[in-house]
Amino acid sequence: QVQLVESGGGLVQAGGSLRLSCVGSGLTFSRYNMGWFRQAPGKEREFVAAIRWSGGSTYYADSVKGRFTISKDNGKNTVFLQMNSLKPEDTAVYYCNYDSLPPVTMATRYKEYVYWGQGTQVTVSS
């Protein structure tokens, strides 16, 4: 049974940084592309970033490009999201997920995912 556990969220002032982690179990982590997604209050879940199974290529939403960096440590079954220059509009619950299809496809395909972890809350104050 697949389990994804996100952590690292918190309260930070605008302009600050946070590093999110997502540990996966019940899947061969090194074979899957991984992504980060977020859901703000009253809004639909949206794509944030994705990374190829090997870590060799990444894909970002325009809203976070240049500020967020996704990385993957297959030895630790963990995917990270380094978030810099945070803005109040980044406030949301952040989730990770996995897919066998390319990172660019995850940007739209995530709406079909059935399993989601509990997420981690990120709050950015102005």
Side-chain angles (χ1 to χ4, degrees):
Q1 184 177 355
V2 173
Q3 187 174 20
L4 301 169
V5 180
E6 301 92 346
S7 63
L11 173 63
V12 64
Q13 288 188 333
S17 299
L18 283 173
R19 190 192 194 205
L20 306 184
S21 300
C22 168
V23 178
S25 60
L27 74 163
T28 306
F29 196 83
S30 60
R31 295 184 181 178
Y32 287 97
N33 306 313
M34 297 297 296
W36 283 96
F37 309 85
R38 66 187 182 186
Q39 187 167 19
K43 296 186 177 181
E44 292 188 351
R45 190 170 290 160
E46 65 177 4
F47 168 79
V48 175
I51 186 168
R52 187 171 169 79
W53 62 270
S54 62
S57 65
T58 56
Y59 185 69
Y60 296 92
D62 288 343
S63 59
V64 306
K65 202 172 295 182
R67 300 188 298 123
F68 290 11
T69 302
I70 186 171
S71 60
K72 192 172 186 268
D73 186 337
N74 288 328
K76 296 182 179 179
N77 283 12
T78 303
V79 60
F80 303 99
L81 186 68
Q82 178 66 44
M83 306 187 296
N84 299 329
S85 302
L86 282 161
K87 304 176 181 180
E89 51 263 45
D90 294 319
T91 295
V93 178
Y94 284 71
Y95 304 87
C96 66
N97 222 314
Y98 66 102
D99 206 327
S100 57
L101 294 181
V104 64
T105 305
M106 296 179 74
T108 53
R109 178 177 160 89
Y110 72 93
K111 297 175 184 179
E112 302 175 21
Y113 298 162
V114 174
Y115 170 79
W116 292 93
Q118 88 288 348
T120 186
Q121 174 71 48
V122 172
T123 304
V124 184
S125 63
S126 57

